[in-house]
């Protein structure tokens, strides 16, 4: 091997050798339990999620002025999907701002969820059909204007 090629090979392999020498930090064994977002009216939001997704409160916690209602898929812990946070504030009709933009949830029958929402007079847009490898999608807003991106089964 020529000196030029040998020098190029050393330069190319140097970053690999350097990264191999450092011991990577092992990942934390973590799992998302459920997103929590602020709501203006706890009863209104609880009813929406019951109608839209069949969720039921499985735990309610009180932290001073903050009420936390954990909604579960079967009404029993430990299968939480959404946590509703309601704080008694000077502006009871407005939830405190939060940083979460949307929830993405896969449902087995997207058309059935859309029909449930429409039957209960909740606004539900049209289902965007599956395209390529992307599943069908239904965008919905909850009473506090949080976005729900509901996904149908992935295309086969």
């Amino acid at each position: 091997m020529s000196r030029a090629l040998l020098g190029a090979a050393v330069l190319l392999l140097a970053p690999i050798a350097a990264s191999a020498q450092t011991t990577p930090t092992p990942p934390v064994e973590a799992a998302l339990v459920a997103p929590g977002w602020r709501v203006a009216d706890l009863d209104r939001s609880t009813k929406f999620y019951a109608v839209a997704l069949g969720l039921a409160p499985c735990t309610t916690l009180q932290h001073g002025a903050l009420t936390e209602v954990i909604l579960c898929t079967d009404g029993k812990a430990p299968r939480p999907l959404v946590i509703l946070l309601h704080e008694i504030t000077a502006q009871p009709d407005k939830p405190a701002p939060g940083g979460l933009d949307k929830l993405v949830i896969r449902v087995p029958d997207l058309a059935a969820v859309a029909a449930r929402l429409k039957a209960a007079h909740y606004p539900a847009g049209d289902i965007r059909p599956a395209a390529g490898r992307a599943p069908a999608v239904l965008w919905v807003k909850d009473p506090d204007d949080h976005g729900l991106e509901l996904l149908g089964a992935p295309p086969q």
Side-chain angles (χ1 to χ4, degrees):
M1 182 180 272
S2 75
R3 284 190 134 173
L5 283 175
L6 183 58
V10 169
L11 286 175
L12 288 173
L13 295 176
I16 295 170
S19 66
Q21 293 173 357
T22 60
T23 305
T25 304
V28 173
E29 295 296 324
L32 179 65
V33 174
W37 49 34
R38 305 223 176 229
V39 299
D41 184 324
L42 200 49
D43 292 332
R44 178 184 70 182
S45 294
T46 302
K47 180 181 175 188
F48 171 82
Y49 285 99
V51 169
L53 300 171
L55 302 181
C58 58
T59 304
T60 300
L61 304 170
Q62 193 68 45
H63 313 282
L66 179 70
T67 303
E68 185 174 338
V69 175
I70 301 169
L71 300 178
C72 296
T73 56
D74 59 3
K76 300 176 190 166
R79 297 191 53 199
L81 188 66
V82 178
I83 301 170
L84 304 178
L85 304 165
H86 176 71
E87 190 165 4
I88 300 170
T89 64
Q91 295 182 311
D93 294 341
K94 287 191 157 190
L100 194 59
D101 185 48
K102 67 179 178 179
L103 255 179
V104 180
I105 302 170
R106 185 173 308 280
V107 297
D109 188 345
L110 202 53
V113 172
R116 288 169 66 142
L117 288 165
K118 289 176 182 175
H121 305 290
Y122 287 113
D126 295 327
I127 294 173
R128 186 187 77 212
R133 296 183 62 192
V137 175
L138 173 65
W139 265 96
V140 179
K141 293 281 191 166
D142 79 359
D144 291 288
D145 209 33
H146 299 120
L148 300 177
E149 184 177 349
L150 305 177
L151 306 178
Q156 298 289 328

